[in-house]
Amino acid sequence: MSVAYKKDEIVSASRVARSFGKVLAALKAQHKRRIAISKNNELEAVIVPIQEYETMAEALALLEHIEIHRLIEQRKRKRYGKRISLDALLKDQEIAI
């Protein structure tokens, strides 16, 4: 997936290094939604406000849970041969927890 950045959202790595405080202030004051950092004309990283990062992290965790749930439901519907309990599997594999 490719994300489009506005021209004013892209800042060189050297400029960010020289004026990091200003970059953070712009994000905190919500003048900018994100800052894409470029080095040698290649985008290397994106700085986002902590609230947005936490929202993205929560969304990713939720998507992972949804995918795990989908896999569990899919496997429940399949007819497998012999089933074995977790305790029996652990004992068979000589795993102690």
Side-chain angles (χ1 to χ4, degrees), residues 43-74:
L43 294 179
E44 297 287 333
V46 176
I47 301 174
V48 295
I50 190 70
Q51 299 88 353
E52 188 168 336
Y53 173 79
E54 288 173 350
T55 299
M56 289 187 296
E58 288 173 9
L60 181 58
L62 180 59
L63 286 173
E64 289 173 349
H65 285 22
I66 290 170
E67 177 63 13
I68 290 168
H69 181 264
R70 187 191 65 76
L71 287 171
I72 289 170
E73 292 302 316
Q74 181 183 32

Side-chain angles (χ1 to χ4, degrees), residues 13-66:
S14 57
R15 184 170 160 215
V16 170
R18 285 192 310 267
S19 58
F20 191 69
K22 289 180 183 178
V23 169
L24 287 181
L27 286 171
K28 188 170 183 169
Q30 298 180 342
H31 296 302
K32 298 199 185 286
R33 196 177 80 172
R34 62 191 174 196
I35 301 291
I37 302 171
S38 66
K39 186 173 182 180
N40 299 325
N41 293 322
E42 295 286 330
L43 294 179
E44 297 287 333
V46 176
I47 301 174
V48 295
I50 190 70
Q51 299 88 353
E52 188 168 336
Y53 173 79
E54 288 173 350
T55 299
M56 289 187 296
E58 288 173 9
L60 181 58
L62 180 59
L63 286 173
E64 289 173 349
H65 285 22
I66 290 170

Side-chain angles (χ1 to χ4, degrees), residues 5-19:
Y5 296 96
K6 297 177 185 173
K7 188 176 180 179
D8 68 333
E9 292 177 325
I10 301 172
V11 180
S12 71
S14 57
R15 184 170 160 215
V16 170
R18 285 192 310 267
S19 58

